[in-house]
Amino acid sequence: MFYYLKGTVGHLAPNLAVLDCGGVGFACHTTSYTLSYLKVGEEAKLYTYLNVREDALELFGFATDNERSCFQMLIGISGVGPKAALSILSATTPEGLATAIITGNEKALTVAQGIGKKIAQRIILELKDKLAKGQLPTEGERGGVAVTVIPQDKASEAAAALAVLGYGPGEISVALKGLELEALSLEEIVRQALRRMMK
């Protein structure tokens, strides 16, 4: 329904940002990551997701489209609701989440409040399985091809992590070209590649 909202930050609270858009205050549930980018009285743009329930309409807002995509992937997993997804994305960045999925790092997920080992294992298993089967949303749906290989080295792991975040092979190849892959950590490779793709 809403792709993004752009307006003045009217109020901030834990996991909540109110964006004043033309005199209407939209309350957006959000992450500590997104809150760190916002200041009351300043203009901001939040990418949104509207969660429709029988008894309520909940609006979620994110600083980046990548963060929103990660949120949507997480709530698509059985047993992971919006509250748990926000908790995970408050504890790690989108690139950190992608790296954790590719490397099978449960601890990166269990540091999030309310996320136990079983849920962390389910998230990693389901998203890794979807990646292997080429079922994750990728730029392929915007013109490329889904990634279907299991990573064997740092470059492949970085490419797979970027695919988890929704980028296609063409964009990934260009973004990774020229990076010092051996000298950087996997998460830093993903971070730098994301910066390149956002320019």
Side-chain angles (χ1 to χ4, degrees):
M1 185 175 180
F2 303 110
Y3 188 78
Y4 67 79
L5 293 174
K6 191 174 184 180
T8 304
V9 179
H11 177 71
L12 296 175
N15 296 116
L16 184 73
V18 177
L19 216 56
D20 185 326
C21 303
V24 179
F26 290 90
C28 299
H29 301 282
T30 191
T31 65
S32 57
Y33 175 79
T34 289
L35 287 173
S36 70
Y37 283 90
L38 306 176
K39 287 186 181 177
V40 174
E42 291 188 0
E43 190 174 90
K45 179 179 179 179
L46 294 180
Y47 293 89
T48 56
Y49 174 81
L50 183 64
N51 188 44
V52 181
R53 298 188 340 205
E54 283 184 20
D55 57 344
L57 294 175
E58 296 175 313
L59 191 61
F60 295 84
F62 305 96
T64 67
D65 204 13
N66 281 332
E67 194 181 20
R68 177 181 56 182
S69 295
C70 286
F71 175 80
Q72 289 177 272
M73 283 190 291
L74 286 168
I75 62 173
I77 296 169
S78 176
V80 180
K83 188 177 178 181
L86 283 185
S87 180
I88 291 167
L89 291 171
S90 287
T92 186
T93 60
E95 58 266 25
L97 173 63
T99 303
I101 291 163
I102 297 306
T103 60
N105 184 0
E106 296 169 17
K107 289 181 182 178
L109 303 181
T110 56
V111 295
Q113 188 176 357
I115 303 300
K117 190 175 180 179
K118 285 186 178 179
I119 289 289
Q121 287 174 337
R122 185 183 300 154
I123 290 168
I124 290 168
L125 184 68
E126 287 197 28
L127 292 183
K128 225 175 188 179
D129 188 49
K130 285 182 179 180
L131 178 66
K133 291 176 181 175
Q135 292 175 354
L136 285 178
T138 70
E139 286 294 318
E141 292 165 14
R142 295 175 238 168
V145 180
V147 174
T148 56
V149 295
I150 299 299
Q152 299 297 325
D153 56 31
K154 203 185 280 189
S156 298
E157 285 184 338
L162 290 165
V164 167
L165 293 174
Y167 292 97
E171 280 186 308
I172 291 169
S173 178
V174 171
L176 293 178
K177 191 174 181 180
L179 289 180
E180 295 178 32
L181 300 179
E182 294 308 313
L184 301 171
S185 69
L186 181 58
E187 190 166 342
E188 186 56 32
I189 292 169
V190 174
R191 188 175 289 116
Q192 289 194 22
L194 282 173
R195 282 197 201 114
R196 287 182 169 191
M197 286 189 277
M198 287 179 184
K199 285 181 181 177

